[in-house]
Amino acid sequence: MADVKTSNFIRNIIDEDLRAGRHAAGIHTRFPPEPNGYLHVGHAKSICLNFGVAEDYNGLCNLRFDDTNPTKEDVEYVDSIQEDIRWLGFSWGDRRFYASDYFEQMYEYAVTLIKKGLAYVDDLSADEIRAYRGTLTEAGVESPYRNRSVEENLDLFTRMRAGEFPDGARVLRAKIDMASPNLVMRDTVIYRIAHVPHHRTGDAWCIYPMYDFAHPISDAIEGITHSLCTLEFEEHRPFYDWLLEALGFPAGERPRQIEFARLNLSGAITSKRKLRQLVEEGHVRGWDDPRMPTISGMRRRGYPPAAVRAFCEEIGVAKSNSTVDNAMLEHSVRDELNCNAPRVMAVLRPLKLVITNYPAEGGTEYLLAENSPTHGGQRYVPFARELYIDREDFMEDAPKKFFRLKPGGEVRLKHAYIIKCEEVVKDDAGEIMELRCTYDPETRSGGTAAGRKVKGTIQWVAAEYALTAEVRLYESLLRDIPEGEEEPEHFIDALNPHSLEILTDAKIEPSVRLTAAGAHYQFLRVGYFVVDPDTTPDHIVFNRIVGLKDSWSKMK
C-alpha cells in the first residue's frame, strides 16, 4: 500500500478537523457490513477507504457487523467478510464488534427518547405508515397514536420487548416532524418486532433496532470520529445528527458522517439481493464463482489483492455517482500480474504436430526458457519429436497476413527451432488431426542460423511430457445488449449464456506439476491464469483471470 496520501475531499475534511484541534486522541473509522451476503467489489472500495484512511493518519479502524436483521443474517457471511478483509491486506486488530453487542444499551437509549417525549409506539401497519408519510411535495400526516402519553409508550415498549405482540403489530418511531422536507425525518421507525432467533443473541430479543437507529449509536459508543458512508445515506445524516443530540452525546465528541459515491462497475451486478438470487437459483456455482463481482469471486478468479487495492486507489473518492469501466479494473490486474506471474507455455485447444526429421529414439532435449522478464530466472522445457500446438495457430487456407503456421509456411517455436509445415493429415470426415513438419536444427539459440527471421512465433508443449488440464474460460456474467435492443425487464434475462467455457484437454508444460491452488501464471500469448481450488493431485484446473489485451491502457 502506498505511503503517500492521495488527496480527496474526505482527507481534506479530516485535515481541517485536525487543524481545528479536534480528535486529539486520533482518527477512528469503521467498516460496518451487514452479514446478509458476501461482499462485492463495491465493498472493496469501502474497505480500502475506511482502513486506508485509518492507516494514513496512524489511527484505528473497527470491523463492526451491523447484525440488526436476523431474518437475513448468517455466520457464514460473518466468516466470509472477515476472510475478504484479511485477503485485501487489512486488519482490525482486537476491534471486531457487532451492533448486537449494544442491544441492551440501544434499548435503554430508546427508553430515554420515550421519556423525553421524542419517541412513541405506533400501531399503524407498514403500509399505513408509508401512506401517512406523504411525498416529496406533500407533508405527512401524523399517526393517531403519535400523542400517546410517556407512560403508555413505556408500557407498550416494555411489552413489545417481553414478546406480547406479534410481528408487525407495533413499532417504535422517533417523534420529529411529519412536515419535514426530508422524508427520513418524518418520524422514522427505530424498532420493529421480529420473533426470530439471532445468530449471536439467540432468543434473548424479539424486537430489533433499525439501521438508522443502531448505526449512529454504535459509532458514538465506539468513539468513531468519521463515519464514512455511501451517498444513499446522505438524506439520513440529519437523523444521525438529531439522534445523537437528542441522546445527549457531547457535540465535540459526536462522530461526523461523510458520504462518498459508491462504486458502480460496468457489466457487474453490485446488488446483494440480485447476487443472492443468482446463487439461490443456480445461475452460478456459488458466491465465489469467478464470474461473480464478489470479493471471494475475484479471489477465486485469481485477481491479486494488490491489484484490487491499486484499482480502488486509482478510481479515487468522489461526491457524485458514476460508473467505472471494468477495463480499468482489468488493467490493474494485468499490471500486477505482468510483474509477478511467471511465464509458461500452454496449448488450450491442442493439435498434434510431428517433426519428421527429429530423432525418433532418445530425441528429448531440454531447452532453456525465461521465467519472467521482471524477476528473471530460467527453467528447462522438454522438447521432442511429437508436440502440441494450438489449433488457432494453424490455418489451411490462410490469408496473406496470417503469420502463424500454414501449409508450406514457417514459424518459430518459442524458445526452440524454426519449423516448416510439410503435410496436413486429416480423418475421414476431413478434420485436421495432425501436422507433419520439418525443423531446422541450426535455428536453436547458439546455432549457426539462430538469427534467421520468420514473422511468426508460437507456443508449444512436448506431447510426452505435457500435463492435461481443465481450463475454465470466463467472460462477463452479463451479455452486451445490442444497440437498438431494449434492456430486459429482469436482469436474469440479460445473463450471458457464454460466460463460461470449459476446456477439458488443454496441454500445459510440466513445470507447473506441483503447483498449489492460487498460483498465478501467464500462459504465453494466451492470458493470465490461476490454479483453481478444485485442483487435485491427478487433475489440475486453471481459471482464466484476464486476457493479454489491455483496452484500458489504449483508452488512456
Side-chain angles (χ1 to χ4, degrees):
M1 277 161 274
D3 292 328
V4 179
K5 288 188 281 185
T6 303
S7 179
N8 58 54
F9 77 95
I10 290 177
R11 286 189 170 93
N12 291 342
I13 290 172
I14 294 173
D15 289 340
E16 179 185 327
D17 284 346
L18 293 174
R19 282 194 297 270
R22 292 186 282 271
H23 315 306
I27 300 302
H28 203 153
T29 61
R30 83 291 168 270
F31 175 62
E34 297 176 70
N36 60 358
Y38 281 59
L39 301 184
H40 56 64
V41 64
H43 296 106
K45 174 182 176 180
S46 183
I47 291 169
C48 291
L49 177 60
N50 278 286
F51 281 92
V53 163
E55 283 187 1
D56 288 345
Y57 289 92
N58 296 315
L60 301 173
C61 182
N62 294 356
L63 168 60
R64 184 207 312 136
F65 290 98
D66 170 36
D67 56 345
T68 57
N69 185 5
T71 60
K72 296 182 179 180
E73 296 163 3
D74 196 282
V75 175
E76 174 190 355
Y77 304 135
V78 172
D79 293 341
S80 73
I81 288 167
Q82 294 179 88
E83 184 179 1
D84 289 345
I85 296 171
R86 291 191 191 100
W87 178 74
L88 281 170
F90 298 106
S91 171
W92 55 88
D94 59 355
R95 297 176 308 283
R96 183 186 66 191
F97 303 109
Y98 298 82
S100 55
D101 292 338
Y102 315 125
F103 276 176
E104 190 65 47
Q105 288 167 276
M106 290 178 191
Y107 178 82
E108 293 302 326
Y109 281 130
V111 169
T112 297
L113 290 181
I114 292 173
K115 289 179 177 178
K116 287 186 172 185
L118 297 176
Y120 62 97
V121 174
D122 195 353
D123 296 1
L124 293 179
S125 68
D127 288 340
E128 289 171 330
I129 290 174
R130 200 174 298 113
Y132 275 52
R133 183 165 283 132
T135 67
L136 291 172
T137 56
E138 295 180 359
V141 177
E142 292 186 358
S143 166
Y145 307 100
R146 193 174 194 266
N147 294 314
R148 278 174 161 155
S149 68
V150 169
E151 292 73 23
E152 185 179 6
N153 282 318
L154 287 174
D155 174 64
L156 288 171
F157 192 50
T158 302
R159 292 163 64 192
M160 284 171 62
R161 176 176 180 171
E164 287 190 27
F165 310 117
D167 293 0
R170 289 187 162 93
V171 295
L172 184 68
R173 297 177 68 178
K175 190 174 185 179
I176 312 176
D177 180 6
M178 290 302 293
S180 171
N182 184 335
L183 269 66
V184 175
M185 299 297 282
R186 295 182 187 178
D187 292 10
T188 190
V189 174
I190 58 177
Y191 263 92
R192 80 283 202 193
I193 301 171
H195 291 269
V196 179
H198 189 280
H199 69 96
R200 293 189 71 241
T201 61
D203 294 320
W205 294 89
C206 61
I207 57 171
Y208 293 97
M210 303 297 286
Y211 179 82
D212 277 347
F213 185 75
H215 179 219
I217 290 175
S218 300
D219 282 351
I221 290 173
E222 293 174 16
I224 302 304
T225 60
H226 297 84
S227 182
L228 310 181
C229 305
T230 45
L231 278 177
E232 62 263 34
F233 293 103
E234 185 171 19
E235 65 178 9
H236 297 249
R237 181 167 15 113
F239 179 76
Y240 185 104
D241 294 336
W242 176 91
L243 179 62
L244 295 183
E245 182 179 357
L247 292 174
F249 286 96
E253 299 175 16
R254 294 175 204 154
R256 180 173 184 175
Q257 180 174 303
I258 308 171
E259 304 84 21
F260 63 92
R262 62 174 292 163
L263 171 58
N264 296 306
L265 195 64
S266 66
I269 298 167
T270 52
S271 157
K272 269 190 186 178
R273 177 183 60 80
K274 291 180 178 179
L275 293 175
R276 183 195 293 267
Q277 184 178 346
L278 289 175
V279 173
E280 292 178 348
E281 294 182 0
H283 299 288
V284 294
R285 295 182 172 185
W287 286 97
D288 68 342
D289 188 302
R291 292 167 290 181
M292 293 277 274
T294 54
I295 296 176
S296 58
M298 293 190 291
R299 179 165 62 247
R300 187 163 186 174
R301 177 77 170 257
Y303 285 13
V308 178
R309 294 197 305 269
F311 166 70
C312 292
E313 182 71 19
E314 184 164 349
I315 62 176
V317 182
K319 292 184 179 181
S320 57
N321 286 323
S322 61
T323 298
V324 177
D325 197 320
N326 186 61
M328 189 174 176
L329 173 57
E330 292 186 345
H331 170 74
S332 295
V333 171
R334 284 189 195 90
D335 255 13
E336 178 69 20
L337 293 174
N338 184 51
C339 294
N340 297 304
R343 275 57 167 166
V344 297
M345 292 192 290
V347 173
L348 302 192
R349 297 171 177 85
L351 173 60
K352 192 172 183 181
L353 184 151
V354 178
I355 302 176
T356 57
N357 63 333
Y358 196 83
E361 298 295 331
T364 300
E365 61 182 311
Y366 289 86
L367 307 178
L368 274 176
E370 183 184 56
N371 286 336
S372 166
T374 305
H375 299 294
Q378 293 179 309
R379 69 191 185 283
Y380 284 102
V381 180
F383 183 88
R385 175 185 174 90
E386 294 186 0
L387 310 173
Y388 289 115
I389 67 167
D390 200 293
R391 285 187 177 272
E392 294 182 356
D393 285 333
F394 176 79
M395 188 175 289
E396 192 169 19
D397 299 312
K400 186 177 180 180
K401 292 190 176 181
F402 184 80
F403 298 128
R404 287 166 279 173
L405 197 57
K406 54 190 173 185
E410 290 185 318
V411 295
R412 176 173 287 280
L413 298 177
K414 182 72 174 176
H415 307 305
Y417 302 95
I418 291 174
I419 61 169
K420 181 178 181 180
C421 181
E422 307 285 1
E423 182 183 355
V424 180
V425 180
K426 301 181 181 180
D427 63 12
D428 293 340
E431 183 178 351
I432 299 172
M433 302 301 293
E434 183 179 295
L435 304 179
R436 292 179 180 168
C437 302
T438 56
Y439 84 119
D440 181 348
E442 297 303 319
T443 55
R444 176 181 168 177
S445 178
T448 58
R452 183 155 75 86
K453 302 294 184 184
V454 290
K455 290 189 174 179
T457 299
I458 63 174
Q459 77 273 21
W460 52 273
V461 180
E464 181 183 352
Y465 302 96
L467 299 179
T468 298
E470 177 182 321
V471 175
R472 299 168 183 173
L473 304 177
Y474 294 99
E475 299 289 350
S476 173
L477 194 56
L478 296 176
R479 63 183 174 89
D480 290 328
I481 306 300
E483 190 173 347
E485 180 182 324
E486 287 189 14
E487 291 275 349
E489 184 177 350
H490 302 292
F491 83 100
I492 294 296
D493 297 327
L495 295 180
N496 177 11
H498 308 295
S499 61
L500 171 60
E501 180 183 5
I502 299 177
L503 307 177
T504 59
D505 193 37
K507 305 298 182 183
I508 318 291
E509 69 170 76
S511 63
V512 304
R513 184 181 301 276
L514 300 177
T515 300
H520 298 94
Y521 293 95
Q522 184 194 103
F523 290 178
L524 289 175
R525 301 179 59 242
V526 179
Y528 294 99
F529 291 77
V530 68
V531 180
D532 186 81
D534 285 345
T535 293
T536 66
D538 302 320
H539 180 67
I540 189 167
V541 179
F542 283 97
N543 298 327
R544 181 170 63 191
I545 307 168
V546 68
L548 294 177
K549 184 180 179 182
D550 192 343
S551 58
W552 177 254
S553 62
K554 289 184 178 180
M555 285 189 282
K556 289 212 299 184

